Amino acid sequence: MCLATAYNRKADNRILCQYVSRIDIDGSKITLVDVMGAELVVTGTLVSVDLVKNEVIIDAAEE
């Protein structure tokens, strides 16, 4: 299983969510789901996903 950590590039790469197992995108709404099923919805833009480094980079609006 490949789990990732999501970072907010706009906030000095602050961690948004760890152990991300699923990412859903609906317009500017990005839903991150961790391995336990907890969901975090952020508004922003997906910048990159590196499956080798297990990193997800998002430009998320501060809410």
Side-chain angles (χ1 to χ4, degrees):
M1 181 182 301
C2 180
L3 301 174
T5 301
Y7 299 92
N8 184 356
R9 186 170 75 168
K10 286 189 172 180
D12 296 324
N13 289 322
R14 180 178 58 86
I15 294 175
L16 291 169
C17 186
Q18 293 182 306
Y19 311 110
V20 176
S21 62
R22 179 182 173 122
I23 302 169
D24 295 315
I25 300 173
D26 183 13
S28 64
K29 299 288 184 190
I30 302 169
T31 303
L32 305 168
V33 182
D34 74 11
V35 70
M36 298 300 289
E39 293 184 3
L40 172 68
V41 179
V42 297
T43 301
T45 305
L46 183 64
V47 176
S48 67
V49 177
D50 187 327
L51 297 178
V52 173
K53 293 181 181 179
N54 300 329
E55 292 180 341
V56 177
I57 307 298
I58 298 171
D59 277 345
E62 292 295 321
E63 296 182 15

